[in-house]
Amino acid sequence: SEENLKLVGIETTPESDDWTATLEPENSKEWIGLAKSMDGKNLQVNCLPFNNTITRFAKIHVTYGDKREIINVRQKGKEIILEASPFVTLSKKRGGKQAIVINCNSDTVYTDKRNWELVKTPDWCTVLPTGDKQIVVEAEKLTKNDAEFKTGRTGDIVIHSQNKEIIIRVDQK
């Protein structure tokens, strides 16, 4: 795609097009191709498609006589998907539990081989991951002695992966 191809103009004298371009780190050659234009005035930078959710970085060092220039290359990966049902409702009279499916395509691995992590849970319910794509939310029933018996209670579960975060509202009514 056009996003993966850039032309970089190189300023040289009319007599010479003697300049070099090298990559750092060395293994970035696996995903970045460099080519000098026929007239020697441009550097073509071609990046292979990246089917990952992590951004990768490299530097191109251009040397022309005693002049040096560094071009920073940043290639973003695919968009991260992090989704779940935004609401959970549990009975205040019976308590109960509910399973919620977590849809996430992140390439980052957190605790227990999941590609997402629990950041926050309400203190009045239990939230347990069951496998790598689901959580179970459980709350005890409210009794007439509980302060929230008439109003019910509300809290948020926060789930994070890379630069994405979702909030699941938990109500016990």
Side-chain angles (χ1 to χ4, degrees):
S1 74
E2 286 185 23
E3 294 174 2
N4 293 323
L5 176 66
K6 297 287 183 192
L7 287 178
V8 178
I10 307 296
E11 188 175 321
T12 63
T13 61
E15 309 81 55
S16 174
D17 61 359
D18 189 24
W19 54 271
T20 59
T22 58
L23 288 167
E24 175 192 344
E26 182 71 24
N27 69 350
S28 57
K29 288 180 180 177
E30 296 170 7
W31 61 278
I32 298 177
L34 301 178
K36 196 183 265 192
S37 65
M38 296 293 277
D39 65 0
K41 304 286 185 201
N42 291 297
L43 171 65
Q44 180 176 316
V45 180
N46 189 19
C47 299
L48 292 176
F50 192 41
N51 194 26
N52 196 307
T53 58
I54 300 168
T55 301
R56 56 186 176 183
F57 301 90
K59 293 182 180 187
I60 302 170
H61 295 267
V62 179
T63 305
Y64 173 65
D66 62 350
K67 294 181 182 179
R68 294 180 185 267
E69 196 70 38
I70 296 176
I71 302 166
N72 292 306
V73 179
R74 181 183 86 178
Q75 186 180 33
K76 291 176 72 173
K78 64 185 175 184
E79 185 70 26
I80 297 170
I81 296 170
L82 179 59
E83 303 169 328
S85 172
F87 301 103
V88 174
T89 302
L90 302 171
S91 167
K92 68 179 179 182
K93 292 181 179 177
R94 292 187 310 273
K97 61 182 171 181
Q98 185 173 337
I100 302 170
V101 174
I102 310 296
N103 179 22
C104 183
N105 71 339
S106 171
D107 292 303
T108 299
V109 178
Y110 298 95
T111 310
D112 298 329
K113 300 181 182 172
R114 287 187 299 276
N115 58 359
W116 50 270
E117 63 183 345
L118 282 169
V119 177
K120 178 184 169 195
T121 60
D123 58 1
W124 52 267
C125 67
T126 305
V127 180
L128 294 173
T130 56
D132 61 348
K133 297 198 180 300
Q134 185 171 288
I135 59 173
V136 173
V137 181
E138 185 171 10
E140 297 294 321
K141 70 179 180 177
L142 290 170
T143 66
K144 292 183 181 185
N145 296 331
D146 291 318
E148 301 99 346
F149 183 75
K150 287 185 179 180
T151 60
R153 48 189 172 186
T154 299
D156 290 332
I157 299 170
V158 179
I159 297 175
H160 165 86
S161 184
Q162 284 181 264
N163 64 348
K164 292 262 186 176
E165 195 171 86
I166 56 173
I167 297 173
I168 302 167
R169 174 61 47 107
V170 182
D171 291 323
Q172 189 171 18
K173 298 179 179 184

PDB file of all heavy atoms in Angstrom, residues 16-43:
ATOM      1  N   SER A  16      28.104  14.680  -7.827  1.00  0.00           N
ATOM      2  CA  SER A  16      28.182  13.376  -7.171  1.00  0.00           C
ATOM      3  C   SER A  16      26.840  12.956  -6.604  1.00  0.00           C
ATOM      4  O   SER A  16      26.077  13.774  -6.101  1.00  0.00           O
ATOM      5  CB  SER A  16      29.213  13.447  -6.040  1.00  0.00           C
ATOM      6  OG  SER A  16      29.207  12.252  -5.308  1.00  0.00           O
ATOM      7  N   ASP A  17      26.595  11.689  -6.699  1.00  0.00           N
ATOM      8  CA  ASP A  17      25.457  11.107  -6.003  1.00  0.00           C
ATOM      9  C   ASP A  17      25.970   9.983  -5.098  1.00  0.00           C
ATOM     10  O   ASP A  17      25.334   8.978  -4.915  1.00  0.00           O
ATOM     11  CB  ASP A  17      24.394  10.615  -6.980  1.00  0.00           C
ATOM     12  CG  ASP A  17      24.919   9.525  -7.908  1.00  0.00           C
ATOM     13  OD1 ASP A  17      26.110   9.169  -7.806  1.00  0.00           O
ATOM     14  OD2 ASP A  17      24.129   9.028  -8.715  1.00  0.00           O
ATOM     15  N   ASP A  18      27.171  10.201  -4.569  1.00  0.00           N
ATOM     16  CA  ASP A  18      27.850   9.188  -3.764  1.00  0.00           C
ATOM     17  C   ASP A  18      27.408   9.285  -2.306  1.00  0.00           C
ATOM     18  O   ASP A  18      27.999  10.008  -1.513  1.00  0.00           O
ATOM     19  CB  ASP A  18      29.366   9.366  -3.886  1.00  0.00           C
ATOM     20  CG  ASP A  18      30.111   8.200  -3.243  1.00  0.00           C
ATOM     21  OD1 ASP A  18      29.516   7.110  -3.140  1.00  0.00           O
ATOM     22  OD2 ASP A  18      31.264   8.410  -2.832  1.00  0.00           O
ATOM     23  N   TRP A  19      26.355   8.612  -1.964  1.00  0.00           N
ATOM     24  CA  TRP A  19      25.871   8.558  -0.599  1.00  0.00           C
ATOM     25  C   TRP A  19      25.442   7.134  -0.291  1.00  0.00           C
ATOM     26  O   TRP A  19      25.225   6.327  -1.192  1.00  0.00           O
ATOM     27  CB  TRP A  19      24.718   9.544  -0.354  1.00  0.00           C
ATOM     28  CG  TRP A  19      23.557   9.410  -1.313  1.00  0.00           C
ATOM     29  CD1 TRP A  19      23.407  10.042  -2.503  1.00  0.00           C
ATOM     30  CD2 TRP A  19      22.407   8.554  -1.170  1.00  0.00           C
ATOM     31  NE1 TRP A  19      22.241   9.662  -3.115  1.00  0.00           N
ATOM     32  CE2 TRP A  19      21.600   8.757  -2.304  1.00  0.00           C
ATOM     33  CE3 TRP A  19      21.978   7.670  -0.201  1.00  0.00           C
ATOM     34  CZ2 TRP A  19      20.395   8.085  -2.495  1.00  0.00           C
ATOM     35  CZ3 TRP A  19      20.779   7.002  -0.380  1.00  0.00           C
ATOM     36  CH2 TRP A  19      19.994   7.217  -1.512  1.00  0.00           C
ATOM     37  N   THR A  20      25.368   6.799   0.990  1.00  0.00           N
ATOM     38  CA  THR A  20      24.979   5.446   1.402  1.00  0.00           C
ATOM     39  C   THR A  20      23.854   5.547   2.432  1.00  0.00           C
ATOM     40  O   THR A  20      23.714   6.547   3.129  1.00  0.00           O
ATOM     41  CB  THR A  20      26.163   4.684   2.035  1.00  0.00           C
ATOM     42  OG1 THR A  20      26.630   5.403   3.175  1.00  0.00           O
ATOM     43  CG2 THR A  20      27.291   4.492   1.028  1.00  0.00           C
ATOM     44  N   ALA A  21      23.110   4.493   2.507  1.00  0.00           N
ATOM     45  CA  ALA A  21      22.042   4.386   3.504  1.00  0.00           C
ATOM     46  C   ALA A  21      22.129   3.010   4.149  1.00  0.00           C
ATOM     47  O   ALA A  21      22.222   1.996   3.446  1.00  0.00           O
ATOM     48  CB  ALA A  21      20.675   4.587   2.857  1.00  0.00           C
ATOM     49  N   THR A  22      22.140   2.984   5.475  1.00  0.00           N
ATOM     50  CA  THR A  22      22.183   1.723   6.218  1.00  0.00           C
ATOM     51  C   THR A  22      21.060   1.701   7.243  1.00  0.00           C
ATOM     52  O   THR A  22      20.543   2.753   7.643  1.00  0.00           O
ATOM     53  CB  THR A  22      23.534   1.543   6.936  1.00  0.00           C
ATOM     54  OG1 THR A  22      23.749   2.647   7.808  1.00  0.00           O
ATOM     55  CG2 THR A  22      24.676   1.433   5.934  1.00  0.00           C
ATOM     56  N   LEU A  23      20.695   0.509   7.657  1.00  0.00           N
ATOM     57  CA  LEU A  23      19.588   0.337   8.603  1.00  0.00           C
ATOM     58  C   LEU A  23      20.093  -0.046   9.990  1.00  0.00           C
ATOM     59  O   LEU A  23      21.085  -0.747  10.133  1.00  0.00           O
ATOM     60  CB  LEU A  23      18.651  -0.775   8.113  1.00  0.00           C
ATOM     61  CG  LEU A  23      17.798  -0.438   6.906  1.00  0.00           C
ATOM     62  CD1 LEU A  23      17.164  -1.687   6.322  1.00  0.00           C
ATOM     63  CD2 LEU A  23      16.717   0.560   7.299  1.00  0.00           C
ATOM     64  N   GLU A  24      19.356   0.428  10.977  1.00  0.00           N
ATOM     65  CA  GLU A  24      19.608   0.044  12.366  1.00  0.00           C
ATOM     66  C   GLU A  24      18.251  -0.239  13.015  1.00  0.00           C
ATOM     67  O   GLU A  24      17.347   0.596  12.889  1.00  0.00           O
ATOM     68  CB  GLU A  24      20.305   1.184  13.112  1.00  0.00           C
ATOM     69  CG  GLU A  24      20.508   0.922  14.577  1.00  0.00           C
ATOM     70  CD  GLU A  24      20.930   2.187  15.336  1.00  0.00           C
ATOM     71  OE1 GLU A  24      21.355   3.184  14.750  1.00  0.00           O
ATOM     72  OE2 GLU A  24      20.773   2.151  16.554  1.00  0.00           O
ATOM     73  N   PRO A  25      18.044  -1.332  13.655  1.00  0.00           N
ATOM     74  CA  PRO A  25      18.966  -2.439  13.844  1.00  0.00           C
ATOM     75  C   PRO A  25      19.146  -3.245  12.562  1.00  0.00           C
ATOM     76  O   PRO A  25      18.354  -3.138  11.627  1.00  0.00           O
ATOM     77  CB  PRO A  25      18.308  -3.274  14.937  1.00  0.00           C
ATOM     78  CG  PRO A  25      16.851  -2.984  14.838  1.00  0.00           C
ATOM     79  CD  PRO A  25      16.757  -1.563  14.330  1.00  0.00           C
ATOM     80  N   GLU A  26      20.159  -4.044  12.560  1.00  0.00           N
ATOM     81  CA  GLU A  26      20.526  -4.824  11.375  1.00  0.00           C
ATOM     82  C   GLU A  26      19.366  -5.699  10.885  1.00  0.00           C
ATOM     83  O   GLU A  26      19.121  -5.821   9.699  1.00  0.00           O
ATOM     84  CB  GLU A  26      21.749  -5.695  11.696  1.00  0.00           C
ATOM     85  CG  GLU A  26      22.271  -6.521  10.539  1.00  0.00           C
ATOM     86  CD  GLU A  26      22.959  -5.702   9.453  1.00  0.00           C
ATOM     87  OE1 GLU A  26      23.446  -4.596   9.733  1.00  0.00           O
ATOM     88  OE2 GLU A  26      23.007  -6.189   8.319  1.00  0.00           O
ATOM     89  N   ASN A  27      18.608  -6.294  11.816  1.00  0.00           N
ATOM     90  CA  ASN A  27      17.513  -7.198  11.410  1.00  0.00           C
ATOM     91  C   ASN A  27      16.317  -6.464  10.817  1.00  0.00           C
ATOM     92  O   ASN A  27      15.376  -7.084  10.356  1.00  0.00           O
ATOM     93  CB  ASN A  27      17.082  -8.087  12.575  1.00  0.00           C
ATOM     94  CG  ASN A  27      16.379  -7.335  13.686  1.00  0.00           C
ATOM     95  OD1 ASN A  27      16.347  -6.105  13.702  1.00  0.00           O
ATOM     96  ND2 ASN A  27      15.840  -8.076  14.631  1.00  0.00           N
ATOM     97  N   SER A  28      16.307  -5.131  10.814  1.00  0.00           N
ATOM     98  CA  SER A  28      15.205  -4.416  10.172  1.00  0.00           C
ATOM     99  C   SER A  28      15.229  -4.602   8.657  1.00  0.00           C
ATOM    100  O   SER A  28      14.252  -4.289   7.976  1.00  0.00           O
ATOM    101  CB  SER A  28      15.216  -2.930  10.546  1.00  0.00           C
ATOM    102  OG  SER A  28      16.430  -2.336  10.205  1.00  0.00           O
ATOM    103  N   LYS A  29      16.324  -5.164   8.124  1.00  0.00           N
ATOM    104  CA  LYS A  29      16.370  -5.495   6.694  1.00  0.00           C
ATOM    105  C   LYS A  29      15.302  -6.523   6.326  1.00  0.00           C
ATOM    106  O   LYS A  29      14.921  -6.641   5.177  1.00  0.00           O
ATOM    107  CB  LYS A  29      17.749  -6.066   6.322  1.00  0.00           C
ATOM    108  CG  LYS A  29      18.844  -5.040   6.324  1.00  0.00           C
ATOM    109  CD  LYS A  29      20.176  -5.670   5.952  1.00  0.00           C
ATOM    110  CE  LYS A  29      21.267  -4.626   5.958  1.00  0.00           C
ATOM    111  NZ  LYS A  29      22.581  -5.206   5.663  1.00  0.00           N
ATOM    112  N   GLU A  30      14.837  -7.251   7.333  1.00  0.00           N
ATOM    113  CA  GLU A  30      13.791  -8.249   7.091  1.00  0.00           C
ATOM    114  C   GLU A  30      12.467  -7.597   6.704  1.00  0.00           C
ATOM    115  O   GLU A  30      11.638  -8.224   6.079  1.00  0.00           O
ATOM    116  CB  GLU A  30      13.598  -9.120   8.337  1.00  0.00           C
ATOM    117  CG  GLU A  30      14.813  -9.940   8.699  1.00  0.00           C
ATOM    118  CD  GLU A  30      14.691 -10.610  10.055  1.00  0.00           C
ATOM    119  OE1 GLU A  30      13.596 -10.543  10.680  1.00  0.00           O
ATOM    120  OE2 GLU A  30      15.679 -11.201  10.501  1.00  0.00           O
ATOM    121  N   TRP A  31      12.237  -6.330   7.089  1.00  0.00           N
ATOM    122  CA  TRP A  31      10.955  -5.685   6.801  1.00  0.00           C
ATOM    123  C   TRP A  31      11.075  -4.340   6.096  1.00  0.00           C
ATOM    124  O   TRP A  31      10.082  -3.786   5.656  1.00  0.00           O
ATOM    125  CB  TRP A  31      10.110  -5.562   8.064  1.00  0.00           C
ATOM    126  CG  TRP A  31      10.687  -4.757   9.190  1.00  0.00           C
ATOM    127  CD1 TRP A  31      11.583  -5.185  10.119  1.00  0.00           C
ATOM    128  CD2 TRP A  31      10.384  -3.407   9.530  1.00  0.00           C
ATOM    129  NE1 TRP A  31      11.870  -4.176  11.011  1.00  0.00           N
ATOM    130  CE2 TRP A  31      11.138  -3.070  10.673  1.00  0.00           C
ATOM    131  CE3 TRP A  31       9.546  -2.436   8.987  1.00  0.00           C
ATOM    132  CZ2 TRP A  31      11.089  -1.825  11.280  1.00  0.00           C
ATOM    133  CZ3 TRP A  31       9.495  -1.186   9.594  1.00  0.00           C
ATOM    134  CH2 TRP A  31      10.254  -0.895  10.717  1.00  0.00           C
ATOM    135  N   ILE A  32      12.284  -3.811   5.949  1.00  0.00           N
ATOM    136  CA  ILE A  32      12.482  -2.544   5.247  1.00  0.00           C
ATOM    137  C   ILE A  32      13.407  -2.783   4.059  1.00  0.00           C
ATOM    138  O   ILE A  32      14.483  -3.360   4.211  1.00  0.00           O
ATOM    139  CB  ILE A  32      13.130  -1.472   6.147  1.00  0.00           C
ATOM    140  CG1 ILE A  32      12.238  -1.147   7.332  1.00  0.00           C
ATOM    141  CG2 ILE A  32      13.414  -0.203   5.343  1.00  0.00           C
ATOM    142  CD1 ILE A  32      12.852  -0.150   8.301  1.00  0.00           C
ATOM    143  N   GLY A  33      12.968  -2.330   2.893  1.00  0.00           N
ATOM    144  CA  GLY A  33      13.819  -2.377   1.707  1.00  0.00           C
ATOM    145  C   GLY A  33      14.248  -0.962   1.339  1.00  0.00           C
ATOM    146  O   GLY A  33      13.444  -0.035   1.353  1.00  0.00           O
ATOM    147  N   LEU A  34      15.532  -0.780   1.032  1.00  0.00           N
ATOM    148  CA  LEU A  34      16.060   0.521   0.617  1.00  0.00           C
ATOM    149  C   LEU A  34      16.565   0.410  -0.813  1.00  0.00           C
ATOM    150  O   LEU A  34      17.231  -0.558  -1.162  1.00  0.00           O
ATOM    151  CB  LEU A  34      17.233   0.946   1.520  1.00  0.00           C
ATOM    152  CG  LEU A  34      16.951   1.085   3.011  1.00  0.00           C
ATOM    153  CD1 LEU A  34      18.228   1.466   3.762  1.00  0.00           C
ATOM    154  CD2 LEU A  34      15.857   2.116   3.254  1.00  0.00           C
ATOM    155  N   ALA A  35      16.250   1.415  -1.621  1.00  0.00           N
ATOM    156  CA  ALA A  35      16.727   1.427  -3.012  1.00  0.00           C
ATOM    157  C   ALA A  35      17.028   2.868  -3.413  1.00  0.00           C
ATOM    158  O   ALA A  35      16.234   3.777  -3.152  1.00  0.00           O
ATOM    159  CB  ALA A  35      15.682   0.821  -3.942  1.00  0.00           C
ATOM    160  N   LYS A  36      18.163   3.065  -4.066  1.00  0.00           N
ATOM    161  CA  LYS A  36      18.548   4.371  -4.578  1.00  0.00           C
ATOM    162  C   LYS A  36      17.885   4.569  -5.934  1.00  0.00           C
ATOM    163  O   LYS A  36      17.845   3.656  -6.748  1.00  0.00           O
ATOM    164  CB  LYS A  36      20.073   4.407  -4.724  1.00  0.00           C
ATOM    165  CG  LYS A  36      20.663   5.782  -4.877  1.00  0.00           C
ATOM    166  CD  LYS A  36      22.176   5.719  -5.088  1.00  0.00           C
ATOM    167  CE  LYS A  36      22.920   5.896  -3.805  1.00  0.00           C
ATOM    168  NZ  LYS A  36      24.365   6.130  -4.035  1.00  0.00           N
ATOM    169  N   SER A  37      17.346   5.780  -6.174  1.00  0.00           N
ATOM    170  CA  SER A  37      16.716   6.049  -7.468  1.00  0.00           C
ATOM    171  C   SER A  37      17.770   6.070  -8.573  1.00  0.00           C
ATOM    172  O   SER A  37      18.966   6.194  -8.314  1.00  0.00           O
ATOM    173  CB  SER A  37      15.969   7.386  -7.424  1.00  0.00           C
ATOM    174  OG  SER A  37      16.888   8.449  -7.243  1.00  0.00           O
ATOM    175  N   MET A  38      17.324   5.974  -9.821  1.00  0.00           N
ATOM    176  CA  MET A  38      18.243   5.932 -10.969  1.00  0.00           C
ATOM    177  C   MET A  38      19.122   7.185 -11.025  1.00  0.00           C
ATOM    178  O   MET A  38      20.291   7.106 -11.350  1.00  0.00           O
ATOM    179  CB  MET A  38      17.457   5.778 -12.277  1.00  0.00           C
ATOM    180  CG  MET A  38      16.696   4.470 -12.368  1.00  0.00           C
ATOM    181  SD  MET A  38      17.776   3.050 -12.466  1.00  0.00           S
ATOM    182  CE  MET A  38      18.110   3.065 -14.214  1.00  0.00           C
ATOM    183  N   ASP A  39      18.558   8.349 -10.706  1.00  0.00           N
ATOM    184  CA  ASP A  39      19.347   9.585 -10.768  1.00  0.00           C
ATOM    185  C   ASP A  39      20.167   9.816  -9.499  1.00  0.00           C
ATOM    186  O   ASP A  39      20.926  10.768  -9.400  1.00  0.00           O
ATOM    187  CB  ASP A  39      18.460  10.797 -11.045  1.00  0.00           C
ATOM    188  CG  ASP A  39      17.481  11.093  -9.920  1.00  0.00           C
ATOM    189  OD1 ASP A  39      17.464  10.365  -8.899  1.00  0.00           O
ATOM    190  OD2 ASP A  39      16.715  12.069 -10.064  1.00  0.00           O
ATOM    191  N   GLY A  40      20.010   8.946  -8.485  1.00  0.00           N
ATOM    192  CA  GLY A  40      20.786   9.062  -7.254  1.00  0.00           C
ATOM    193  C   GLY A  40      20.303  10.143  -6.312  1.00  0.00           C
ATOM    194  O   GLY A  40      20.958  10.432  -5.315  1.00  0.00           O
ATOM    195  N   LYS A  41      19.168  10.743  -6.591  1.00  0.00           N
ATOM    196  CA  LYS A  41      18.690  11.866  -5.779  1.00  0.00           C
ATOM    197  C   LYS A  41      17.635  11.460  -4.746  1.00  0.00           C
ATOM    198  O   LYS A  41      17.269  12.273  -3.909  1.00  0.00           O
ATOM    199  CB  LYS A  41      18.098  12.969  -6.668  1.00  0.00           C
ATOM    200  CG  LYS A  41      19.035  13.482  -7.719  1.00  0.00           C
ATOM    201  CD  LYS A  41      20.091  14.357  -7.123  1.00  0.00           C
ATOM    202  CE  LYS A  41      20.933  14.943  -8.258  1.00  0.00           C
ATOM    203  NZ  LYS A  41      22.229  15.372  -7.786  1.00  0.00           N
ATOM    204  N   ASN A  42      17.133  10.258  -4.840  1.00  0.00           N
ATOM    205  CA  ASN A  42      16.092   9.817  -3.922  1.00  0.00           C
ATOM    206  C   ASN A  42      16.409   8.443  -3.349  1.00  0.00           C
ATOM    207  O   ASN A  42      17.065   7.622  -3.995  1.00  0.00           O
ATOM    208  CB  ASN A  42      14.730   9.737  -4.634  1.00  0.00           C
ATOM    209  CG  ASN A  42      14.199  11.097  -4.992  1.00  0.00           C
ATOM    210  OD1 ASN A  42      13.941  11.907  -4.123  1.00  0.00           O
ATOM    211  ND2 ASN A  42      14.047  11.344  -6.277  1.00  0.00           N
ATOM    212  N   LEU A  43      15.905   8.234  -2.163  1.00  0.00           N
ATOM    213  CA  LEU A  43      15.985   6.939  -1.509  1.00  0.00           C
ATOM    214  C   LEU A  43      14.565   6.410  -1.407  1.00  0.00           C
ATOM    215  O   LEU A  43      13.679   7.084  -0.863  1.00  0.00           O
ATOM    216  CB  LEU A  43      16.587   7.087  -0.105  1.00  0.00           C
ATOM    217  CG  LEU A  43      16.545   5.851   0.789  1.00  0.00           C
ATOM    218  CD1 LEU A  43      17.402   4.730   0.213  1.00  0.00           C
ATOM    219  CD2 LEU A  43      17.021   6.219   2.196  1.00  0.00           C
TER     220      LEU A  43
END
